[in-house]
Amino acid sequence: MYTHLLIATDGSELAGKGVDAGLALAAALGAKATLVTVSEPWQDPLPGDPSGLALSFELREEQRRAQAAGAERIIAQARTRAERAGVALEGVYVPERMPDEAILETAQQRGADLIVMASHGHRGLRKLLLGSQTQSVASRSTVPVLVVR
């Protein structure tokens, strides 16, 4: 069946349910697992404001460091969960990319045959305004996607 699961997480409590489900499935199948977490690209607070360039650069570097540290924590927590589940887990951090694109590219690059991720379950106007990374991955993926709610 599935031999390599890509488990996507943003480190949230809901995404943790997806991590646990993915690890349980990997353990049951004897599959290997790769965890991916992504940080979104920098959004300049005042684009085109020459007086804010130095501050913007400092903020950007601070944000990069904070995002990398957060990704390390997410991966470390997932490794602890994986050890308890008896699953070997590789952690991947993709900085400054749109999550859906990074998840799909990582799945392809690593040869995953199933993507596991949580859905926040937004409905109506909120879903329309916020968009859905899960929706985008599920609709564009060339491998099956297991959505955990």
Side-chain angles (χ1 to χ4, degrees), residues 106-125:
T106 304
Q108 182 181 29
Q109 291 168 354
R110 305 291 169 139
D113 51 12
L114 178 69
I115 299 171
V116 180
M117 59 192 305
S119 172
H120 287 83
H122 296 302
R123 299 182 193 276
L125 185 59

Side-chain angles (χ1 to χ4, degrees), residues 9-13 15-16 19-20 23 35 69-85 89 91:
T9 184
D10 62 5
S12 68
E13 185 177 336
V19 171
D20 290 340
L23 291 173
L35 180 111
E72 287 176 23
R73 279 191 304 277
I74 290 168
I75 292 169
Q77 290 169 352
R79 281 199 177 111
T80 300
R81 289 172 160 174
E83 287 173 13
R84 282 188 287 224
L89 182 73

Side-chain angles (χ1 to χ4, degrees), residues 42 51-60:
W42 169 260
S51 64
L53 289 179
L55 178 61
S56 181
F57 177 78
E58 289 173 12
L59 287 174
R60 185 175 187 172

